[in-house]
Amino acid sequence: MTDVTQELPIVVEPPPPATAGPLGWLRANLFSNVFNTILTILAAALLAVTIPPIIRWALFDAIWAAPNSRACRGAGACWAFIHEKLRFILFGTFPYEEQWRPLLAVVIFIALIVASCDRRLWGRSLAFLWLLGLVAVGVLMWGGIFGLSFVGNQLWSGLPLTLILAVVGMAFAFPLAILLALGRRSQLPAVRTICVAYIELIRGVPLITVLFMASVMLPLFLPAGMTIDKLLRAQDAIILFAAAYLAEVVRGGLQAIPKGQIEAADALGLTYWQRTRRIVLPQALALVIPPLVNTFIGTFKDTTLVIIIGLFDLLGTINAALNDANWRGTSTEAYIFAAAIYFCFCFFMSRYSQMLEREFNKGRRQ
Amino acid sequence: MPTDTIPRPTRPSPWRNPAVRSMVVQVLFVAAVLALGAFLVHNTVVNLRRQNIAGGFGFLDREAAFGIGEALIAYTPADTYARAFFVGLLNTLYVAGLGVVLATILGTVMGIARLSRNWLVSKLAQIYVETFRNIPLLLQLFFWWGLLRETAPAPRQAWQPLPDVFVSNRGIAFVVPSPDPAYGWMALAFLVGLAATIGAFRWARQRQAQTGQQFPTGWIGLGLVVGLPLAMFLLSGAPLTLDRPEMKGFNFTGGHAVSPEFAALLLGLVIYSGTFIAEIVRAGILAVSWGQTEAAMALGLHPIQRMRLIVLPQALRVIIPPMTSQYLSLTKNSSLAVAIGYPDLVSVTNTMINQTGQAVEGIAMIMAVYLTISLIISALMNVYNRSVALVER
Amino acid sequence: MTTESAGAPIIELRRLNKWYGEFHVLKDINLEVAKGERVVVCGPSGSGKSTMIRCINRLEEHQRGQIIVAGIELTSDVRNIEAIRREVGMVFQQFNLFPHLTVLQNLTLAPIWVRKLPKKEAEETARLYLDRVKIPEQADKYPGQLSGGQQQRVAIARSLCMKPEIMLFDEPTSALDPEMIKEVLDVMIELAEEGMTMVCVTHEMGFARTVADTMVFMDRGEIVERGSPKEFFADPKSDRTKLFLSQILAH
């Protein structure tokens, strides 16, 4: 016999008060069982013990302006050091009156990075924009034309140098990486062996050795009489190093292209270079954009190593600023400031890459 | 009756023959690479000769004439360069080995914390990962080094975060038990406990296969491995003399001390690598689909069984490859010691290069060492991957 | 006509209510399943039918109401939950076989670790059930090497190795290619004919007509109509039931 339960929908009831709303969230997330409750209490205790002293040190007891470190000594942070040395930290040895130029260069870089996040621009126009931006940065930093005084690249330091090393590094590493990746997958054994050897060699050694190699050995490689600028040596090292890692990322993308794509291209009569350029690479590169961004973040962090071969990037200028005898003992504050700058760049880029990855996965429901 | 023979395909002219073309391309490519190589080598030899720098590895037998701050084996400036290189190598392996162990522990704990249902714990772990992952390692090393060398007080006013642990600008000195023959016996007891545990595992597995009864081998094993040495300790009269660091003159003596350089390097490496390991562990556990856990629950397995039999075996497959790559990264990152003055391989070799001018040989030696470590780890990883690969169609 | 059962029902849902946050997903569900009864639950997606059967073995937690299985009440008490899970087998839409274990190991895992059987006995039972689902030769293969239909049959065998009193099926054929649905349904029909208590969420109406003692139609979190298949299909009383049947039986 058919049992027809209610014809009319039951009145929708609200959930029991202890299971939803803010109280319910607290219960589920912080106090769901004995173990969790203990964890919450321990974590809260840890925060209570560490956070207030840090805030006191960093904010309330901090000294914001002082002539030297002795006047700055107290229970709190000595932000006066940053205040005093800010322009040196950011722009290093660039001539003082002309420092609007590296400032503008940094702004251009940041604008380009932000613009690259807008997907509508991806493609020819973005590449063109970057080219324009890099030329503008070059003009600003070197000068010599348009009435700007010439500033040799030995004087470039601080944040602009970090950005230049990272951006130019990636820009040149990218085409090299594509060639390496294609070479590694080539059917010609000689080409494949050489590409594999290069990639595995560079990936197997620390960046510092590649920097040393560039710094010490590049001058030896050149015919007598030719010299090579220190900045160029560091830049070459970063390019060669990044290219090896990028090559592996691109190779991952190439491997993910279904064989059917290549077969279809062959069936249409395209040559190897035509199908690579028009069919395989566009798809492969689109696939690996998140890991590409991650590699850029890694390269950005790696620029700090140039301090070891005597270039003054942002970390270098901070260290140089700390050498001032008037300001002993302020290393903690200085490094926290530097960390904040690096963190802003890297965090923003990593969040962006995570967002990209989520979007790509959404479009790839198989 | 077919009288006409099957026509043979016309051989293409060499120019159009793909086999010939590929050979030509390869020959050209190799020739170009070799030519470039020859050019570079020639220039190098000429330049080195001009600067009166010797070649070859003969310098390794010469006296080093520089001191090394901390060494695991005996070393004096009168020893050879070769020995100095070896000291640096040992230092690198020591800090890398210790770093790998500590970073794994920290990373695993943080990775699991990230997955916790407790919002506070999960968020704190996330803050840790995001903060230390986005700050360059070298900067972190300088930070800790600065903290330990400049901000830390002189030994007389050393910080004391824990009883008998002193943090000063000369390093960290902490209490250790003085060596005692009983400790040798305890180590022996530990090994016996270990062997007994392994035996117990085997026996329990046999028994379970035959009768189905389970044996609490986990707890028993723990008891053996901890209890036997403890018993040995008590039997020997509980000898525990602590070697406490004490102020003598300008610094501490006694106890065990690590230099600020070593402490900063280890701290930086562990905290930085820990973030990546945390993400690897988290991704590995998330990679096991929830349906696996549900099926295990539906079958009546309880949480520890689920973790041990279902989740962990599958998660480890996803975790171990990137984990070993992270270990390699940590080892390579230890080369940053050269920036903060810890005498690792790169540091020592750098001094050697500065003294002898033989940069090419020095850098080649460093690269050879790191390459060897890389290749060994890669090979081990490939073996592991092949042995645990999931079998599919 | 419901099968007359001897004694108390083996599953009882009394005024079962569940919320996901603010969303009321199960509204005052009342259901009784007798021993040996075969219940088929159908309804549009989002009606809460999967949620309802997943509450029975605590894969989902209910906030209000009572669930009593084989005389044990389902509460937060871990012992009750484990006792109930031993007696209730579940077959999932996505099979959820353990890919790192062979088919045989999949089947013997729970009997060894939960029922504490010796290995030989567990393996004998496993081979018996593999035979019953008609794939005895796959015992040493890995799940990745089997087709979808074979995997689901292994999943059914895996649950049966625990000798449960009740079998729950959560859309067992929805993830299968059409040519493999029949082999799985055949196994389920055989199981029903042997007298297993079954609660099955499915869209396969042919199967329902063959096997079910009771049809239950759920919509928007509540049980709208229930009855014998004959009356259910021939003469549905509620408009919502009529609408659903017209949509699903159109092909």
Side-chain angles (χ1 to χ4, degrees):
Chain A
M1 96 217 80
T2 326
D3 172 45
V4 178
T5 359
Q6 303 85 344
E7 270 293 352
L8 301 162
I10 300 176
V11 171
V12 174
E13 293 175 40
T19 60
L23 205 60
W25 182 90
L26 275 179
R27 208 155 153 256
N29 288 312
L30 293 178
F31 300 108
S32 58
N33 55 33
V34 180
F35 182 60
N36 253 349
T37 312
I38 296 180
L39 275 183
T40 306
I41 294 178
L42 282 177
L46 182 68
L47 286 176
V49 160
T50 52
I51 300 289
I54 291 182
I55 297 190
R56 247 200 317 273
W57 175 84
L59 289 177
F60 298 127
D61 291 342
I63 300 176
W64 301 87
N68 59 40
S69 71
R70 248 166 296 125
C72 207
R73 206 161 279 308
C78 182
W79 300 122
F81 171 72
I82 310 290
H83 184 95
E84 269 293 307
K85 301 271 187 178
L86 184 62
R87 281 179 60 160
F88 181 75
I89 290 175
L90 287 180
F91 305 116
T93 46
F94 208 88
Y96 196 79
E97 309 74 38
E98 309 279 335
Q99 278 182 355
W100 61 271
R101 285 158 55 180
L103 178 62
L104 196 53
V106 169
V107 168
I108 292 178
F109 271 128
I110 296 182
L112 281 174
I113 292 179
V114 171
S116 304
C117 296
D118 185 352
R119 296 233 245 139
R120 290 167 298 183
L121 287 173
W122 283 4
R124 283 262 157 81
S125 40
L126 190 61
F128 184 62
L129 221 59
W130 271 100
L131 195 58
L132 212 58
L134 282 175
V135 167
V137 165
V139 164
L140 281 170
M141 293 299 288
W142 265 307
I145 55 176
F146 298 144
L148 298 168
S149 59
F150 177 75
V151 178
N153 53 23
Q154 306 86 327
L155 296 176
W156 297 2
S157 35
L159 188 54
L161 185 62
T162 297
L163 284 167
I164 289 175
L165 283 171
V167 169
V168 173
M170 282 292 282
F172 281 89
F174 197 55
L176 181 55
I178 294 179
L179 289 173
L180 283 170
L182 290 171
R184 187 166 179 167
R185 282 167 53 87
S186 159
Q187 309 284 29
L188 310 173
V191 173
R192 195 170 56 234
T193 320
I194 292 182
C195 290
V196 168
Y198 174 85
I199 293 176
E200 292 304 323
L201 175 72
I202 300 288
R203 277 162 52 98
V205 299
L207 173 56
I208 197 98
T209 54
V210 179
L211 275 172
F212 276 165
M213 207 178 71
S215 161
V216 158
M217 281 164 57
L218 264 183
L220 292 175
F221 286 161
L222 295 174
M226 272 181 72
T227 51
I228 176 167
D229 184 271
K230 207 155 55 152
L231 174 58
L232 194 52
R233 284 182 241 164
Q235 186 71 83
D236 286 343
I238 292 183
I239 291 174
L240 292 174
F241 192 72
Y245 285 84
L246 273 181
E248 286 298 277
V249 171
V250 173
R251 185 169 81 107
L254 290 173
Q255 275 177 329
I257 304 290
K259 220 160 153 243
Q261 294 289 305
I262 301 188
E263 293 178 345
D266 280 346
L268 286 169
L270 299 175
T271 68
Y272 173 79
W273 289 106
Q274 282 173 330
R275 94 164 172 244
T276 303
R277 209 185 125 215
R278 297 199 177 281
I279 310 291
V280 175
L281 270 186
Q283 294 185 54
L285 294 178
L287 272 176
V288 297
I289 292 186
L292 277 180
V293 176
N294 287 341
T295 311
F296 179 65
I297 298 174
T299 307
F300 189 76
K301 290 189 289 185
D302 284 341
T303 57
T304 48
L305 269 71
V306 300
I307 190 181
I308 301 179
I309 58 170
L311 279 176
F312 288 93
D313 70 320
L314 183 60
L315 191 54
T317 51
I318 289 250
N319 271 349
L322 281 172
N323 269 335
D324 188 341
N326 277 331
W327 294 98
R328 288 244 156 270
T330 51
S331 64
T332 315
E333 291 86 340
Y335 291 131
I336 291 181
F337 179 66
I341 298 180
Y342 278 107
F343 181 79
C344 287
F345 277 98
C346 294
F347 184 67
F348 166 71
M349 288 191 285
S350 95
R351 266 281 180 260
Y352 176 67
S353 125
Q354 283 169 18
M355 185 205 80
L356 272 184
E357 215 165 345
R358 267 198 302 271
E359 280 192 26
F360 280 19
N361 282 336
K362 257 190 272 174
R364 197 159 297 118
R365 277 262 145 255
Q366 265 147 15
Chain B
M1 220 155 26
T3 49
D4 32 286
T5 50
I6 302 170
R8 285 167 135 238
T10 44
R11 301 277 287 297
S13 63
W15 175 238
R16 295 196 179 281
N17 186 345
V20 169
R21 279 177 107 159
S22 79
M23 189 57 67
V24 166
V25 167
Q26 287 185 76
V27 165
L28 285 177
F29 185 73
V30 171
V33 170
L34 285 179
L36 180 66
F39 177 65
L40 295 178
V41 168
H42 171 79
N43 284 336
T44 310
V45 168
V46 164
N47 283 326
L48 284 178
R49 205 171 297 148
R50 247 187 342 112
Q51 296 173 32
N52 271 325
I53 299 177
F57 289 92
F59 72 97
L60 286 173
D61 285 326
R62 297 214 306 264
E63 187 179 304
F66 66 93
I68 296 183
E70 18 187 341
L72 289 172
I73 55 176
Y75 171 83
T76 68
D79 287 318
T80 59
Y81 279 121
R83 190 170 176 84
F85 186 80
F86 189 57
V87 168
L89 177 59
L90 284 181
N91 278 345
T92 290
L93 292 176
Y94 180 54
V95 82
L98 205 52
V100 155
V101 169
L102 295 176
T104 306
I105 296 176
L106 177 64
T108 307
V109 166
M110 283 299 176
I112 294 179
R114 219 27 200 95
L115 292 169
S116 164
R117 258 193 288 178
N118 186 318
W119 180 87
L120 199 57
V121 168
S122 159
K123 263 287 171 265
L124 284 179
Q126 189 179 7
I127 291 177
Y128 157 73
V129 168
E130 289 296 338
T131 307
F132 290 102
R133 196 168 53 159
N134 287 312
I135 300 177
L137 175 58
L138 191 54
L139 178 48
Q140 295 186 38
L141 289 181
F142 278 135
F143 174 80
W144 296 117
W145 195 44
L147 200 63
L148 286 172
R149 240 188 9 140
E150 284 183 4
T151 319
R156 272 186 204 281
Q157 295 98 15
W159 293 331
Q160 234 185 320
L162 297 169
D164 286 322
V165 174
F166 300 96
V167 178
S168 69
N169 58 17
R170 301 286 289 273
I172 304 182
F174 48 91
V175 61
V176 287
S178 354
D180 185 292
Y183 296 157
W185 290 110
M186 279 173 67
L188 195 61
F190 175 76
L191 288 174
V192 167
L194 209 58
T197 308
I198 296 178
F201 272 137
R202 292 243 173 97
W203 170 81
R205 200 165 20 167
Q206 279 268 52
R207 183 165 168 260
Q208 185 183 18
Q210 279 171 349
T211 67
Q213 291 170 317
Q214 287 162 27
F215 191 72
T217 38
W219 294 113
I220 300 285
L222 197 65
L224 282 174
V225 157
V226 170
L228 282 183
L230 196 62
M232 190 57 75
F233 178 68
L234 293 170
L235 277 177
S236 335
L240 188 65
T241 35
L242 294 173
D243 190 3
R244 291 195 161 79
E246 280 170 3
M247 272 300 301
K248 284 235 169 67
F250 288 112
N251 200 357
F252 290 97
T253 48
H256 184 69
V258 293
S259 65
E261 287 77 25
F262 179 81
L265 185 62
L266 193 60
L267 207 54
L269 281 175
V270 168
I271 292 182
Y272 185 71
S273 297
T275 64
F276 293 97
I277 292 182
E279 285 297 283
I280 290 172
V281 168
R282 184 173 84 105
I285 295 185
L286 285 179
V288 182
S289 73
W290 180 240
Q292 293 288 301
T293 308
E294 287 196 328
M297 290 199 288
L299 285 170
L301 293 166
H302 57 70
I304 299 184
Q305 287 171 329
R306 295 202 290 262
M307 188 49 78
R308 213 182 108 198
L309 298 168
I310 307 296
V311 177
L312 222 46
Q314 296 185 56
L316 279 176
R317 279 174 174 79
V318 180
I319 288 178
I320 292 198
M323 187 82 107
T324 50
S325 156
Q326 224 9 259
Y327 290 166
L328 192 55
S329 259
L330 193 152
T331 311
K332 288 190 290 178
N333 282 337
S334 69
S335 62
L336 292 181
V338 70
I340 62 171
Y342 175 73
D344 80 316
L345 180 65
V346 174
S347 225
V348 165
T349 314
N350 195 30
T351 315
M352 266 164 55
I353 292 177
N354 285 337
Q355 280 187 208
T356 63
Q358 302 206 237
V360 178
E361 289 82 355
I363 295 179
M365 282 164 65
I366 301 177
M367 284 183 148
V369 166
Y370 279 106
L371 264 182
T372 313
I373 299 178
S374 277
L375 289 175
I376 293 179
I377 294 190
S378 286
L380 288 175
M381 251 288 307
N382 280 336
V383 167
Y384 172 77
N385 264 342
R386 252 193 301 262
S387 68
V388 299
L390 289 178
V391 183
E392 292 180 2
R393 281 223 226 229
Chain C
M1 212 114 43
T2 49
T3 317
E4 228 52 66
S5 56
I10 200 169
I11 303 180
E12 249 187 281
L13 306 178
R14 288 192 202 149
R15 304 213 60 185
L16 180 63
N17 278 282
K18 179 172 168 61
W19 286 264
Y20 281 133
E22 296 284 338
F23 176 55
H24 197 177
V25 62
L26 290 177
K27 302 172 185 159
D28 242 35
I29 302 281
N30 290 292
L31 184 67
E32 275 180 20
V33 178
K35 190 164 162 63
E37 184 176 352
R38 284 97 63 175
V39 176
V40 169
V41 182
C42 62
S45 57
S47 53
K49 41 191 206 301
S50 282
T51 312
M52 181 181 76
I53 69 164
R54 285 155 63 90
C55 283
I56 295 177
N57 67 353
R58 201 62 165 190
L59 290 182
E60 302 278 359
E61 209 177 297
H62 61 282
Q63 279 89 21
R64 207 187 271 163
Q66 274 186 314
I67 300 180
I68 302 172
V69 177
I72 311 171
E73 181 173 352
L74 186 58
T75 60
S76 312
D77 188 341
V78 168
R79 270 168 311 181
N80 286 8
I81 297 177
E82 289 187 357
I84 288 177
R85 284 179 178 166
R86 277 197 290 270
E87 300 310 323
V88 175
M90 183 150 197
V91 176
F92 298 87
Q93 186 177 356
Q94 301 295 339
F95 333 139
N96 287 336
L97 291 180
F98 305 131
H100 59 298
L101 303 173
T102 62
V103 163
L104 196 65
Q105 287 166 339
N106 263 273
L107 265 56
T108 55
L109 182 77
I112 290 178
W113 289 97
V114 180
R115 290 217 190 272
K116 303 195 175 31
L117 294 179
K119 188 157 160 208
K120 209 145 65 117
E121 200 180 312
E123 284 189 356
E124 273 169 23
T125 316
R127 290 194 195 273
L128 188 72
Y129 282 110
L130 269 184
D131 223 18
R132 285 266 294 275
V133 299
K134 304 205 177 43
I135 37 176
E137 72 282 359
Q138 309 286 358
D140 294 314
K141 296 246 183 81
Y142 284 88
Q145 297 172 293
L146 304 181
S147 74
Q150 289 170 326
Q151 289 188 46
Q152 192 63 299
R153 285 187 276 159
V154 169
I156 296 176
R158 179 177 65 174
S159 300
L160 290 177
C161 283
M162 286 291 281
K163 310 243 174 75
E165 306 240 10
I166 302 164
M167 283 286 277
L168 303 175
F169 293 85
D170 187 2
E171 307 215 26
T173 56
S174 298
L176 293 175
D177 290 334
E179 63 271 16
M180 296 193 247
I181 294 182
K182 179 177 184 307
E183 65 198 49
V184 173
L185 289 181
D186 284 343
V187 166
M188 287 165 68
I189 292 173
E190 259 185 51
L191 206 55
E193 282 166 2
E194 285 161 13
M196 172 69 78
T197 313
M198 289 165 61
V199 180
C200 191
V201 173
T202 184
H203 295 297
E204 297 289 328
M205 291 302 140
F207 167 78
R209 256 193 261 251
T210 314
V211 147
D213 294 318
T214 311
M215 293 292 302
V216 170
F217 174 66
M218 279 182 73
D219 187 20
R220 280 181 258 154
E222 43 193 5
I223 295 183
V224 173
E225 190 167 336
R226 80 187 85 195
S228 77
K230 217 196 303 209
E231 288 148 4
F232 185 82
F233 287 111
D235 187 20
K237 293 289 183 296
S238 156
D239 283 338
R240 285 146 77 182
T241 321
K242 290 186 191 144
L243 178 64
F244 175 73
L245 283 178
S246 72
Q247 288 167 336
I248 204 172
L249 294 177
H251 313 100

